[in-house]
Amino acid sequence: MHPSLTILGSGYTAKALLPLAERRYAHVYATSRTPERHLSHLSPEQRIRFDLTRPDTWTSIPTATDVLWCFPAVPIDLVQRFADTISLGVRRLVILGSTSAYNDGSSSAYPPPWIDESATIDLTIPRVKSEELLRTAYGGVVLRVAGIYGPGRDPIEWIRTGRVSASRKYVNLIHVEDLGATCLAALTHADSGGVYNVSDGQPRTWNEICETVERRWNIRSSVSDESRPNGKRLSNNKMCELLDLDRAGLRHTDLFEALEAIQKNTLNEAGPSR
Ligand SMILES: NC(=O)c1ccc[n+]([C@@H]2O[C@H](COP(=O)([O-])OP(=O)(O)OC[C@H]3O[C@@H](n4cnc5c(N)ncnc54)[C@H](OP(=O)(O)O)[C@@H]3O)[C@@H](O)[C@H]2O)c1
């Protein structure tokens, strides 16, 4: 068992991966800006008040734990001061970034070419600049994460409510359980300064997703104008190799099966209808 882990920012992903982290680490701590409201699911000794914008809270981070950074790392000057204050450079550090780091407006090819971790990133995006700092100066491992879905974050609801619409744009998604497993595998096995794309390896167009959702769940989608960018197709080969090192594998490669399971769970949680 590993000694201890601090999860910075206990939102959707952090909460979902907590059981897995507790199986691997003897002690798991999690932070919130309002721990009394957002960390009530944890024992009091696991709860830490932490706000990157309030340096007076930085000293509450336990010394020598591994660190999983689960919120956008901005602004860069605070990120750097914080990293020095808690000696991030000598800890195992994994940062959740985003696939928006890869510029998608440049290619007119359709379908868009596959991209791996060597693709150009956009350093004008503040969080990308900070992630590169944490990676190159402090040895952090950056996970470039696709759209996260799972229980309570359901693409079917995104379609129903018009948050997304049918278009030829490609989207890359990752189930929160697979993201959690990847975070743990990265904390254990990834090389310092490494970068990993995190997606299910099955880029789809919103047209395909919307059509299938309409056919299987009878939910109509709105249609978007065609002037949107083409999106990206993200290779996840490196991430799959990482999961292999952990004797794990991707569990949710079939989006529609995963959506079926989420819908069933939602219905079960709602209880029998009257
Ligand atoms: N959602 C997606 O589809 C997606 C896709 C790609 C990448 N990502 C990235 O993946 C990471 C995890 O995503 P998520 O959706 O699980 O995140 P989330 O639910 O938004 O949770 C992040 C938590 O971090 C805490 N936080 C925010 N600002 C902070 C600050 N200045 N100082 C300290 N704590 C702060 C907040 O908790 P408190 O309010 O309790 O402090 C927040 O709930 C994020 O970096 C996100 O940008 C997300």
Side-chain angles (χ1 to χ4, degrees):
M1 204 141 187
H2 300 240
S4 50
L5 171 69
T6 301
I7 303 173
L8 299 178
S10 187
Y12 182 70
T13 304
K15 283 192 181 124
L17 65 75
L18 189 75
L20 205 58
E22 287 183 327
R23 282 207 290 277
R24 188 161 309 188
Y25 285 89
H27 302 281
V28 178
Y29 306 94
T31 77
S32 167
R33 290 165 298 181
T34 50
E36 60 289 347
R37 239 189 314 148
H38 291 164
L39 297 180
S40 54
H41 58 292
L42 295 177
S43 66
E45 54 276 13
Q46 290 178 289
R47 301 176 198 162
I48 295 169
R49 182 181 307 279
F50 163 70
D51 182 342
L52 181 66
T53 65
R54 284 189 38 205
D56 60 305
T57 64
W58 296 354
T59 48
S60 60
I61 304 298
T63 52
T65 64
D66 291 355
V67 171
L68 178 60
W69 190 312
C70 293
F71 67 94
V74 284
I76 194 165
D77 55 325
L78 286 184
V79 169
Q80 183 162 22
R81 276 175 51 206
F82 172 64
D84 289 335
T85 304
I86 71 156
S87 306
L88 269 185
V90 297
R91 305 178 186 227
R92 286 201 68 86
L93 166 66
V94 171
I95 307 121
L96 298 193
S98 164
T99 56
S100 59
Y102 300 118
N103 229 325
D104 65 343
S106 49
S107 166
S108 57
Y110 193 86
W114 285 88
I115 54 176
D116 65 16
E117 290 78 357
S118 65
T120 314
I121 53 171
D122 183 350
L123 284 167
T124 66
I125 301 172
R127 75 176 291 170
V128 176
K129 211 169 163 191
S130 296
E131 286 157 13
E132 278 303 280
L133 173 77
L134 290 170
R135 190 177 76 75
T136 55
Y138 300 89
V141 175
V142 175
L143 305 184
R144 300 214 174 105
V145 182
I148 305 167
Y149 76 98
R153 279 201 189 172
D154 181 352
I156 293 183
E157 289 311 306
W158 305 344
I159 293 171
R160 195 199 306 271
T161 55
R163 197 182 130 193
V164 295
S165 43
S167 78
R168 66 206 285 272
K169 182 178 183 177
Y170 274 84
V171 60
N172 302 271
L173 295 169
I174 184 73
H175 192 290
V176 70
E177 278 178 11
D178 286 327
L179 171 57
T182 307
C183 290
L184 271 294
L187 281 162
T188 308
H189 304 288
D191 291 335
S192 143
V195 178
Y196 296 83
N197 291 341
V198 181
S199 89
D200 64 10
Q202 312 282 333
R204 294 182 167 83
T205 63
W206 279 114
N207 279 338
E208 181 194 344
I209 297 173
C210 289
E211 272 165 33
T212 308
V213 166
E214 177 165 355
R215 201 172 54 250
R216 282 174 67 163
W217 290 280
N218 202 22
I219 290 162
R220 298 295 294 270
S221 48
S222 51
V223 178
S224 121
D225 59 53
E226 289 296 314
S227 60
R228 300 177 69 181
N230 294 338
K232 303 160 202 157
R233 290 197 296 167
L234 228 76
S235 154
N236 70 349
N237 292 343
K238 219 179 146 189
M239 163 199 177
C240 291
E241 284 165 17
L242 184 66
L243 285 172
D244 282 348
L245 291 177
D246 224 21
R247 299 207 186 97
L250 263 181
R251 290 184 54 197
H252 302 279
T253 47
D254 185 327
L255 173 67
F256 301 109
E257 250 174 45
L259 295 184
E260 183 89 54
I262 293 167
Q263 289 286 304
K264 267 196 197 137
N265 257 345
T266 313
L267 280 177
N268 287 345
E269 275 166 20
S273 55
R274 290 166 191 238

